[in-house]
Amino acid sequence: MSEAARRASWRDLVERRLPEAARPGWPVRLDHCFARILLDHACGGPWRDHVRPPAYATLPLDQLEAAIALGEAVLAGHADLALLNRRSLAWRGKVAAAAVPESLEDGDLILRRWRPEDTAPFAALNADAAVMAHFPRPRTEAESVAEAGRFDRRFVADGFGPWALAQGGRFIGCAGAMRILQPLPFPGGDRPGTTVELAWRLAREAWGRGFATRAARLALDDLAGRCGIRAVVAYTAAGNARSRAVMERLGMAPAGTFPHPAVPEGPLRDHVLYRLDCADREDAA
């Protein structure tokens, strides 16, 4: 389908299909409200902070596709519109955001909220071909700045997110959890907002020292204790033995494979899925 056709499809989705499908219990019924929710999620925050109006014409096509996919999930009953609306309103300061600690600590290893000075080392990490070997490509500096902002805004929307990771006062990466908000082809992944992903990404000089496992355990403790999140998933390209080893050290269980729809055809597309719930973790302790 051409780009013009996809942009027309977006307008039909928010201006006609979603308003016509509105049902009792939905928190919104008007076209601009559906557009607000879906565009905010495509941008990871209030959409007007990231793209000039009219969004149907100016939003990058990959973000527009993400907004369409989320809208289709709402129509199919696979996405919780009330949750999505609360997240959008939290970003806009219309509902109270959850209290979030400034940091979680394990000796000299600290998970903390993101700071402006994290941008440069995060961009360097994302530009390292070795770090990004199991991603489709390294990130540009602009993409890294945007990603760090999206990560930190997840704390506003959900009360948790990927933390900046520091060791001995030095930024070495990120680790934490986030709601999966785009449909993925595995059980639970097809229901955006329902499943929580555990993830980490460390600078190359921090590899092999157990930091990823320690940081993930800190994040899991916070998720279970403060946030009441009882189950998480993690996934990576099938050939990423380093990350798979961390998942297994955490007591996560293999749960099959899936083709990641955001990854082009090739050796990185097949992903392995791991799952963990509180009972599994207690048994593994």
Side-chain angles (χ1 to χ4, degrees), residues 27-202:
V28 300
R29 304 180 65 85
L30 301 177
D31 57 354
H32 67 275
C33 295
F34 290 114
R36 164 182 59 82
I37 294 168
L38 300 179
L39 291 171
D40 283 2
H41 279 82
C43 295
W47 67 268
R48 286 176 181 267
D49 293 348
H50 304 277
V51 63
R52 69 184 187 278
Y56 75 86
T58 61
L59 192 69
L61 191 57
D62 60 337
Q63 290 178 288
L64 188 71
E65 292 289 4
I68 290 171
L70 190 57
E72 294 291 355
V74 170
L75 278 174
H78 293 163
D80 183 344
L81 186 61
L83 170 67
L84 300 179
N85 186 52
R86 285 195 302 273
R87 297 180 90 252
S88 170
L89 293 176
W91 280 324
R92 291 162 176 267
K94 302 297 185 181
V95 298
V100 179
E102 280 301 309
S103 64
L104 310 173
E105 301 183 13
D106 176 18
D108 65 346
L109 194 68
I110 298 174
L111 295 177
R112 59 165 172 76
R113 294 292 295 275
W114 291 78
R115 300 172 182 170
E117 59 265 32
D118 297 330
T119 300
F122 186 54
L125 177 161
N126 283 336
D128 187 329
V131 173
M132 304 299 285
H134 298 285
F135 290 79
R137 60 175 177 79
R139 305 273 200 270
T140 66
E141 182 176 359
E143 288 169 338
S144 293
V145 170
E147 185 175 32
R150 289 194 301 271
F151 281 172
D152 200 56
R153 287 190 294 273
R154 284 181 176 266
F155 289 92
V156 176
D158 297 315
F160 61 89
W163 304 83
L165 176 60
Q167 188 270 331
R170 180 172 57 94
F171 177 92
I172 61 169
C174 58
M178 49 193 166
R179 294 189 187 277
I180 296 173
L181 292 164
Q182 295 303 315
L184 292 176
F186 61 80
D190 57 347
R191 304 187 71 83
T194 300
T195 300
V196 173
E197 175 196 0
L198 185 68
W200 51 87
R201 194 183 313 158
L202 272 64

Side-chain angles (χ1 to χ4, degrees), residues 198-224:
L198 185 68
W200 51 87
R201 194 183 313 158
L202 272 64
R204 196 183 340 176
E205 59 267 24
W207 291 1
R209 301 170 64 183
F211 295 147
T213 303
R214 288 171 61 193
R217 285 178 177 149
L218 269 179
L220 284 168
D221 287 343
D222 181 60
L223 281 173

